[in-house]
Amino acid sequence: MKVLFTAILLLGIAISTRAVLGHHGWSWTTGKNTELSGVIKKVRLGNPHGILEVAVRDQMWTIEVGQPWRNERAGLKDGDLSEGVEIRVIGEPAADKSDKRLKAERLFLGDREYILYPDRD
Amino acid sequence: MEAFLASLEATAPAQFLRVSRWGYAAVSGTHILGIALLVGAILPLNLRVLGLWPSIPRATLFRVLVPFAATGLLLAVLTGSLLFSVRAQEYAAVGYLQAKVVLVLVGLLSALSIHRADGSMLEGASERRLRFHALFSLGCWLGALACGRLIAFAID
């Protein structure tokens, strides 16, 4: 039983997470804005976070956009964020540089700006 | 497995929760209520078994708190399944979620087995067995809580 107990605790502590989901808050980002332009390759919108896979030159980036209400408030309509669309994103990248992930504060489709976080620069 | 997870995501509640702001907030809030009831009951139960508040009869505390723990677990499992269904394919790949499910199952099975073996108030169990079980239970439920919280924050 003691072995099982220890094994379970270690399992709980040691397992790492595959970076597929969105993340709460901004604690994991750099605190400084970056701009990325690319083509949307994959879209997963909806609660708790919307996720875009975007080809930026030869690199794939994971872009975290808003939940449905935030995207809607920014003026985005169903289908605006879809595969093949060119997008320019301004937001904070992950502090860990090996994680090609950016949390969007605002984005451009063509010339139109969509502001997800009005209170952030 | 992939097909099962995809069909889970296609269910009506999952589709509703993926787009509903307040629906999602309500389910996620109820999940927290379930965890609060469960862990809030489990902690004093196990601390009593470990020797705190010796003047309070164990059976009295159990009568109040065991139903709270059970109700909390039920709420947390129901709402947790709903939250899982919103992004089943992605969540299934997350190590912290897998660990959490294991901890919840082990915690539940160990609670059921000791209650089955030693009675609803654990009146038949030896002190040694009780203490071991209390530590084990604390490890499972606090571990499950920690793993659950980390799902939202952990980065590779």
Side-chain angles (χ1 to χ4, degrees):
Chain A
M1 272 302 249
K2 277 194 179 133
V3 176
L4 179 68
F5 182 48
T6 316
I8 288 162
L9 274 190
L10 286 178
L11 178 74
I13 295 159
I15 285 179
S16 72
T17 306
R18 268 168 50 183
V20 281
L21 293 161
H23 303 93
H24 279 349
W26 300 81
S27 60
W28 54 279
T29 62
T30 55
K32 290 210 176 73
N33 278 354
T34 309
E35 185 174 324
L36 291 176
S37 296
V39 177
I40 300 175
K41 293 294 181 191
K42 199 173 158 221
V43 182
R44 291 276 279 170
L45 294 176
N47 285 315
H49 300 269
I51 305 278
L52 310 176
E53 300 290 338
V54 174
V56 180
R57 291 183 297 278
D58 55 349
Q59 265 179 342
M60 285 305 288
W61 275 75
T62 302
I63 308 294
E64 299 191 3
V65 293
Q67 316 87 317
W69 66 266
R70 187 184 298 285
N71 296 339
E72 202 176 303
R73 187 185 65 180
L76 288 161
K77 301 266 184 297
D78 282 354
D80 281 351
L81 300 175
S82 49
E83 282 172 36
V85 170
E86 281 189 38
I87 187 172
R88 180 152 72 91
V89 189
I90 293 142
E92 294 189 8
D96 175 3
K97 284 211 163 62
S98 66
D99 189 14
K100 299 293 173 207
R101 174 182 295 270
L102 177 137
K103 185 156 174 167
E105 294 181 359
R106 50 208 167 92
L107 55 90
F108 289 85
L109 301 175
D111 290 334
R112 173 147 182 210
E113 184 180 26
Y114 300 87
I115 301 172
L116 298 174
Y117 289 89
D119 297 335
R120 299 182 72 89
D121 58 354
Chain B
M1 189 65 182
E2 283 299 304
F4 168 71
L5 294 171
S7 67
L8 212 55
E9 289 184 3
T11 57
Q15 290 187 4
F16 167 75
L17 289 174
R18 209 169 293 126
V19 294
S20 161
R21 180 178 187 178
W22 302 116
Y24 191 86
V27 172
S28 136
T30 309
H31 192 58
I32 294 173
L33 175 65
I35 297 163
L37 292 178
L38 171 65
V39 178
I42 285 287
L43 267 175
L45 278 172
N46 284 322
L47 292 177
R48 172 66 187 84
V49 169
L50 288 171
L52 259 72
W53 317 295
S55 64
I56 298 176
R58 205 165 69 207
T60 308
L61 200 67
F62 272 45
R63 196 171 305 126
V64 177
L65 292 183
V66 170
F68 268 89
T71 308
L73 178 64
L74 190 67
L75 271 182
V77 168
L78 287 175
T79 52
S81 309
L82 284 172
L83 294 172
F84 178 82
S85 73
V86 171
R87 291 284 175 104
Q89 299 182 69
E90 280 142 276
Y91 283 130
V94 174
Y96 284 116
L97 189 133
Q98 297 165 356
K100 169 169 119 165
V101 172
V102 171
L103 287 167
V104 168
L105 284 176
V106 172
L108 175 64
L109 286 176
S110 83
L112 289 177
S113 71
I114 195 170
H115 279 288
R116 198 183 153 90
D118 300 316
S120 60
M121 301 297 159
L122 305 186
E123 54 276 7
S126 72
E127 240 359 81
R128 198 182 131 82
R129 186 171 148 79
L130 276 176
R131 279 169 186 268
F132 173 77
H133 183 269
L135 287 173
F136 188 77
S137 166
L138 283 174
C140 286
W141 298 114
L142 291 176
L145 183 144
C147 287
R149 184 67 300 205
L150 282 168
I151 294 166
F153 288 93
I155 305 179
D156 262 353

